[in-house]
Amino acid sequence: MSKRKKIIIAVVAILLILVLVVGVLLFFSKTSSGANEAQKRLNTLTLVRTYVEKGEFARALALLENILIANPDDSEASELLDIVIIAKRAQEKLDRGEAVDRTELEEALAAAREASTRIASAADEAWRAASRMRSAENEQKKISRETSNKTSETKKDKDIDEDALSFAEKNADSENARREAEDSRALEERLAKKNERLQQQIAEVNRNIGLGKQAAVSGSLRSARESFTQAAGLLPEGENEFNAGKYLEMAQSLYEIAQDTHDSTIKTEALSGSLEYTNQALKADSKSAKAHWLRSQIYSDQGREPQSLADLKEAVRLDLKNYQYVYELGKKHYMQRQYSDARSCFETTIRLAPSFESAFFNLGLTNRRLGRIDASIESFRGAVRIKKEYPRAYIEIARLLAEKGDLDGAVKNYSTAIQYEPANVQALREMAAVYSTQEKYKEAERYFREALALGSDDPRTNYNMATVQLELGNNALALDYAKKAVSVEPKNSVFLYTYGLAGERNNMPDIALQQYARSIASDPKYVKPRINLGIMYLDAKRLEDALNQFVAAHTVEPDNFEVNNNLGKVYGLKKQYDKAVEFFARAVSKNPRDSNVRANLATAYISAGLIEKASDTYAELIKIDPSDWDSHYELGKLYMQLEKKSEAKSVLENLLRKKPDYEKSAEVKKLINTL
């Protein structure tokens, strides 16, 4: 097999590895019922990879076609099919003796190998982590079945942590449920001792509730309600504590039906029935924290947030040591932007449940909202001390460190997030952005490329990749990425500007002019496209068009260095030297170390007849940059005009002494001879 042929096969194999790794990670989210099919599919894809490595593309295609026949919507198999077809065509091209760009293939191989090595090495750990997660989930499901108090899903804020309670905390809930069950049995035993009739009544109530619960588990709302109605009619008069508990059992079962169904009619009816029984429980025992907690969940699902919040507050008041109630109250305060109250709740939760990592995480979010950056970082670090494999927390730490200017610390935390979650596109692209800020453009390119390869074909990532390619001088690639970004968000002024800039760098003035104009139309206050468009007009000698753009930009940003400098240039070309002096002087005040704009100011002073001002400006230039020989030359000539012969002679002789090979040395000598 030829070297070129091996390169193509290796490139395709590496790409397959990347897709397979993503596939493995996606498998982790599937239910256990589909495990066998998932394993069969993964084995087939692995065999495809083996055939590709050996150059047996026809066999690989046959296997992929079998997968797609079984499941036409299998996007990973479809993507692999496309890759193998390309490889097969490349092989056929080589076999026919046609030319192949070897350099491009080798560079692609190097980049792919680098990415695949890192991701593939993390795949084994990801697999083991997923296995541990599945074991924990099975244990948690067992605990959940023992617990009569199920946590409801509240409306989600865009960043609040809605993760299930940690294993340790669920163990605590299980213990509470066990104690509640023991208390309930003890109560029933005391009541049963009163008389035989009451004993039979309790047994009949429990029998009907049991039937109702069985019906609820099977999803039969009608049967559950019939049994619960029978049970409610048999509840003994005057036994409020017992009755409150039984009403709550029935309410909880109906609430669980509402949570498990996708039928809106059944959900509405189940919530209504659950609310009815919860109200009966509170009528029997108004101080039941558990009943207020359940009613808060029901109200939240019905969209009645004020009532939900009031009941949750009451549950917390009645049971100050229940961390779950306080935690949920904190989440409600957070979602309503009551961040100080949320902070208090999450801090209380942590005191009650020190190993509850989600409380630390949400306290971190809350502190960030309150502008308490250091406290926020410490809260997120508390979360990862409890739960080491917590990518979201590492990402939040990285963001805050980047905000504080600790870019190396940010990269370290993004890297840790990626270590535990190799396909985390968010971490990849944000870390790439930090590298870009550090002007480490090759590193930025690598991670933006990985983010794109792992499915993050969003406009922001394409835009960022375009800016990196511009910095690297890969203008053609920059144009492609910028175009992709604009195709998704055609009215994003920043994307349009970058597309125009890429067009300009590729010597495509039509694209540049068009995209700059579109960017301005999208956001008239965005100055960058106006500056670039104005410069293009200036280069084309379209002074009025250039002036219009710079004046408009100056209206928005009167202190912008580039705007003032370019206004000075336009007015200089229009021979309005007083205005040229004005704007060059403003530009100098904004960037005093820029020698070019100071030279422009000196030239404008000369044109305006302000010779002394010009000589002072050149003197300042020489102080800033003693090797600016042209400034020495110009200053000497100005001193001669001002009849400062000794100063002129000193400056010019100093120029020849320090720069004897100065290109205008002959002219300098002639000037000295006249003094």
Side-chain angles (χ1 to χ4, degrees), residues 306-510:
Q307 296 94 323
S308 175
L309 181 61
D311 262 315
L312 186 52
K313 286 181 176 179
E314 185 64 9
V316 171
R317 188 186 70 81
L318 292 168
D319 189 354
L320 294 173
K321 294 185 178 180
N322 191 311
Y323 76 91
Q324 190 176 0
Y325 296 173
V326 183
Y327 176 67
E328 291 297 327
L329 181 58
K331 292 198 309 189
K332 281 194 180 294
H333 282 312
Y334 183 93
M335 289 183 283
Q336 294 177 6
R337 300 184 180 182
Q338 298 166 349
Y339 299 123
S340 294
D341 292 333
R343 174 190 165 197
S344 176
C345 287
F346 291 136
E347 288 176 341
T348 300
T349 304
I350 288 169
R351 286 197 296 273
L352 295 171
S355 61
F356 189 11
E357 72 278 353
S358 292
F360 279 94
F361 182 90
N362 288 342
L363 178 59
L365 294 179
T366 306
N367 280 325
R368 185 184 67 188
R369 295 285 189 178
L370 291 168
R372 304 175 74 243
I373 303 302
D374 290 336
S376 181
I377 293 172
E378 185 54 37
S379 298
F380 289 127
R381 285 176 174 161
V384 299
R385 280 194 292 270
I386 298 167
K387 181 181 177 182
K388 188 177 180 182
E389 299 178 11
Y390 204 160
R392 284 190 66 194
Y394 288 113
I395 290 172
E396 293 295 342
I397 294 170
R399 289 171 176 167
L400 291 168
L401 291 176
E403 188 177 322
K404 291 186 67 173
D406 183 1
L407 301 184
D408 289 336
V411 167
K412 181 179 179 181
N413 279 276
Y414 280 127
S415 297
T416 305
I418 293 167
Q419 175 188 339
Y420 293 121
E421 202 170 282
N424 191 312
V425 170
Q426 187 178 48
L428 286 167
R429 64 190 180 197
E430 289 184 22
M431 182 165 69
V434 171
Y435 275 130
S436 184
T437 301
Q438 291 179 306
E439 298 183 357
K440 296 179 179 179
Y441 298 116
K442 291 300 292 184
E443 289 87 346
E445 179 189 32
R446 165 187 168 177
Y447 290 104
F448 279 135
R449 193 182 301 282
E450 287 186 27
L452 290 167
L454 290 170
S456 176
D457 198 20
D458 65 290
R460 176 64 56 177
T461 305
N462 278 298
Y463 155 74
N464 283 329
M465 187 61 138
T467 62
V468 167
Q469 297 300 340
L470 286 171
E471 293 293 345
L472 291 172
N474 301 327
N475 297 327
L477 286 174
L479 189 69
D480 291 339
Y481 287 115
K483 186 176 181 180
K484 288 180 183 179
V486 168
S487 68
V488 180
E489 293 190 21
K491 292 187 178 180
N492 187 307
S493 58
V494 177
F495 295 177
L496 290 164
Y497 162 76
T498 304
Y499 189 13
L501 181 60
E504 192 174 353
R505 297 277 181 87
N506 280 282
N507 297 317
M508 297 177 177
D510 291 344

Side-chain angles (χ1 to χ4, degrees), residues 106 141 258 290 295 324 329 398 440 506 528 606 617:
E106 289 178 341
K141 287 177 182 177
K290 188 174 179 181
R295 192 166 70 175
Q324 190 176 0
L329 181 58
K440 296 179 179 179
N506 280 282
K528 283 188 174 182
I606 293 170
T617 303

Side-chain angles (χ1 to χ4, degrees), residues 247-289:
Y247 278 127
L248 268 180
E249 284 186 48
M250 295 185 283
Q252 185 69 42
S253 290
L254 294 178
Y255 182 74
E256 288 173 4
I257 290 178
Q259 293 302 291
D260 294 338
T261 186
H262 296 292
D263 186 311
S264 60
T265 301
I266 293 176
K267 185 179 185 71
T268 299
E269 185 180 346
L271 286 174
S272 177
S274 181
L275 180 60
E276 177 185 338
Y277 286 129
T278 305
N279 285 335
Q280 290 292 337
L282 284 168
K283 186 176 180 181
D285 181 5
S286 62
K287 295 183 178 180
S288 170

Side-chain angles (χ1 to χ4, degrees), residues 592-618:
R593 304 295 301 178
D594 191 299
S595 57
N596 289 328
V597 71
R598 197 176 287 272
N600 288 340
L601 176 59
T603 302
Y605 278 138
I606 293 170
S607 298
L610 301 171
I611 306 302
E612 289 185 345
K613 286 282 191 181
S615 65
D616 292 342
T617 303
Y618 277 123

